[in-house]
Amino acid sequence: MDARAHLLERAVLKADELPVIAHFEGPDHWALVTTERIVLGREAGLLSVPWSELENATTDTAHIQAAFASGAGNKLSLSRLRLQRRNAEDVEIEVEAGKAFFGLWNALKTIALLRKE
């Protein structure tokens, strides 16, 4: 399966919307950050979070404590992000642990911060 083609087909980007960052674990488990929104492929279906709805990207305290209590025992084992939305329920996503996790987290935090200005 071509992950790029799968993401672009499912996300249905607008003519002026560009893909920026992607995480692909499988056909029903992926995330795509575009120039306008975050699109999540989930077993329950597609979820689109426009940048304007993103209040913050964070990780759950319980997840941090569990990561440190496990054998991995450091921040590079974190893999769950919580997208806090302005007027809707938070969304939790699971991504690859390590540098990929922190890159995505920093990008989403920056998007949320820029949207507040």
Side-chain angles (χ1 to χ4, degrees), residues 1-6 10 24 26-28:
M1 170 185 299
D2 180 9
R4 182 179 188 276
H6 179 84
R10 298 294 188 287
F24 186 83
D28 294 325

Side-chain angles (χ1 to χ4, degrees), residues 47-97:
L47 176 65
S48 180
V49 180
W51 283 12
S52 60
E53 284 184 20
L54 186 63
E55 181 69 29
N56 195 10
T58 187
T59 192
D60 187 276
T61 303
H63 178 55
I64 294 171
Q65 290 172 342
F68 280 87
S70 73
N74 67 39
K75 67 181 185 178
L76 290 178
S77 64
L78 296 175
S79 61
R80 282 194 303 234
L81 282 173
R82 179 178 306 277
L83 305 181
Q84 296 174 327
R85 299 190 292 174
R86 283 187 172 79
N87 299 313
E89 189 175 314
D90 290 356
V91 176
E92 190 168 280
I93 60 174
E94 182 98 19
V95 297
E96 179 183 347

